[in-house]
Amino acid sequence: QDPRFASYISAYTESPVSKASTIKVVLNSSLADSLDISKIDMKKVLRIYPSIEGTTKFADERTIEFTPAEPLMSGHKYIVELRLRRIAKVPGDLRKFVFPVTTIAQDMKVNIEDQVTIDRTNLVYQQVSGSVKTADVETIENVRKAVTAKAGNTSYNIKWRETELGDIFNFTIDSVKRSNESQYLTISYDGKAIKAKTSGEKKIEIPALNVFAVSSVKVLSTPSQHIRIQFTDPVDSKQDLDGLITVVGTERNSNDS
């Protein structure tokens, strides 16, 4: 940019931005103090290419802000043109201040976090929980369309924690039925619904009935550092676990109690 623009502009939107973002230009204080905002035709101040619908206003005494009527396109480059000559008297070669705005390319990642027994009597049904992380904000409606769950010939309903616009979406899949043989629950995702190129699947083994095994081991740091071991079936509350579980590769400090 021509350094002479610094006499008129102090800041502007830098890329990459969220598709939910507005586009801003902050005027130099000396220029802003000289303006009569009521006499400026805001419809002629900003132009964006490719053209998008929206409104332009002074968000404060110095900030010109464009708010799109609809979210910007993901992974897209826009060219923003501020027509300085519509605001103040400027040299002819500074009449337009042009800068690019690029939006974040949408993407998604599925994480499977837990599998627990919810039928503590017959041990038939499992609950699987996880989350979807998107690169940029997204609506829960679109994320719902992107993810499905199936085990064998059975499709399972995915329960989503309701949220508005966000980038982390938590889900649970209830009542995944165990059978006499182990099977895999497949969580498939297709980014088309959120205009992402990503697609794939995550699988988690659903243990057979009468199989007792470790299903996951996690190191957690809150409320204090500890190891959480998840089993395929609940452990008998009367079972004495002392000496049954060891951590390999660690040495007990003589000061430990």
Side-chain angles (χ1 to χ4, degrees):
Q1 296 284 8
D2 190 318
R4 291 179 296 162
F5 278 120
S7 298
Y8 307 98
I9 295 168
S10 62
Y12 55 92
T13 296
E14 294 187 359
S15 301
V17 300
S18 168
K19 65 179 181 179
S21 293
T22 60
I23 297 173
K24 298 179 181 180
V25 178
V26 182
L27 301 179
N28 184 291
S29 58
S30 59
L31 172 59
D33 291 342
S34 69
L35 299 180
D36 183 350
I37 295 176
S38 64
K39 294 182 178 180
I40 298 175
D41 186 352
M42 299 306 295
K43 293 180 180 179
K44 297 181 179 180
V45 170
L46 271 183
R47 288 289 183 270
I48 300 177
Y49 306 95
S51 179
I52 52 177
E53 296 293 325
T55 57
T56 304
K57 67 177 183 179
F58 271 92
D60 56 42
E61 292 180 351
R62 296 178 56 195
T63 306
I64 297 172
E65 181 178 40
F66 175 79
T67 303
E70 298 290 339
L72 301 171
M73 289 187 289
S74 295
H76 196 76
K77 182 179 180 179
Y78 295 89
I79 300 299
V80 182
E81 179 183 282
L82 173 66
R83 298 184 173 184
L84 271 175
R85 64 186 177 87
R86 298 288 185 178
I87 298 174
K89 292 182 179 180
V90 297
D93 56 342
L94 299 182
R95 66 187 187 279
K96 295 179 182 179
F97 178 71
V98 180
F99 61 96
V101 171
T102 303
T103 53
I104 297 168
Q106 189 61 291
D107 200 356
M108 67 185 301
K109 181 180 180 180
V110 176
N111 295 307
I112 298 174
E113 294 162 2
D114 268 322
Q115 177 184 178
V116 298
T117 301
I118 56 175
D119 174 13
R120 299 181 70 89
T121 302
N122 299 312
L123 310 178
V124 173
Y125 295 105
Q126 302 287 97
Q127 180 189 78
V128 175
S129 60
S131 63
V132 172
K133 176 74 172 69
T134 55
D136 193 11
V137 294
E138 193 52 71
T139 64
I140 184 64
E141 290 78 10
N142 287 340
V143 173
R144 280 197 187 101
K145 298 173 185 176
V147 186
T148 58
K150 190 174 184 178
N153 295 320
T154 304
S155 296
Y156 287 92
N157 181 49
I158 301 176
K159 296 181 179 179
W160 297 92
R161 183 179 298 173
E162 290 299 324
T163 182
E164 296 183 358
L165 209 62
D167 60 2
I168 297 179
F169 304 86
N170 297 302
F171 66 83
T172 56
I173 304 169
D174 283 331
S175 303
V176 180
K177 191 173 183 179
R178 297 168 69 178
S179 61
N180 292 327
E181 295 183 0
S182 65
Q183 59 179 332
Y184 284 91
L185 175 71
T186 301
I187 300 175
S188 302
Y189 53 97
D190 187 338
K192 289 181 181 178
I194 62 170
K195 295 181 172 59
K197 297 179 180 180
T198 308
S199 64
E201 60 183 31
K202 286 290 185 74
K203 293 187 176 185
I204 183 170
E205 185 176 8
I206 306 300
L209 289 167
N210 302 319
V211 169
F212 180 80
V214 174
S215 59
S216 69
V217 178
K218 292 184 178 181
V219 177
L220 304 175
S221 57
T222 56
S224 59
Q225 192 170 55
H226 63 285
I227 297 174
R228 187 178 72 183
I229 303 174
Q230 188 76 46
F231 296 94
T232 53
D233 293 336
V235 176
D236 190 329
S237 59
K238 298 178 182 179
Q239 174 67 53
D240 181 6
L241 298 177
D242 195 29
L244 296 181
I245 300 174
T246 59
V247 180
V248 178
T250 62
E251 293 183 2
R252 184 179 178 84
N253 190 296
S254 59
N255 293 322
D256 290 346
S257 57

